[in-house]
Amino acid sequence: MPKQNIHPKWYPESKVYCDGKHIMTIGSTKPELHVDIWSGNHPFFTGSQRIIDTEGRVERFMRKYNLKNTTNTK
């Protein structure tokens, strides 16, 4: 027989908050969840992510392996 009363309480209607706004309702072992980042405000999912090469790493790599840069940089 399995042990009784070893599992946490399940909340099927847990509310998820980000910056004080209700985002979604999910099932969880906690009644409320507060998150900093979710897919609605993460740069990768919103399309605002930028790749910044401030130290010239790409150019240094290309020189090291004697490769030609095929991207059009202006």
Side-chain angles (χ1 to χ4, degrees):
M1 294 303 277
K3 291 184 179 181
Q4 297 294 320
N5 301 322
I6 62 169
H7 298 289
K9 181 169 173 45
W10 182 254
Y11 298 95
E13 299 290 323
S14 295
K15 294 185 180 350
V16 180
Y17 295 96
C18 182
D19 294 330
K21 297 178 190 172
H22 177 257
I23 298 171
M24 66 182 88
T25 303
I26 61 170
S28 177
T29 57
K30 295 184 178 187
E32 286 186 353
L33 299 168
H34 297 273
V35 297
D36 295 327
I37 296 177
W38 65 293
S39 63
N41 67 358
H42 192 278
F44 179 78
F45 295 104
T46 60
S48 62
Q49 182 179 18
R50 303 258 191 284
I51 298 174
I52 300 172
D53 182 24
T54 57
E55 297 180 14
R57 292 179 183 160
V58 173
E59 288 80 15
R60 189 170 48 219
F61 175 85
M62 299 301 253
R63 278 195 316 268
K64 180 177 180 180
Y65 294 103
N66 201 16
L67 300 173
K68 293 182 180 177
N69 192 353
T70 58
T71 60
N72 293 333
T73 57
K74 294 181 180 179

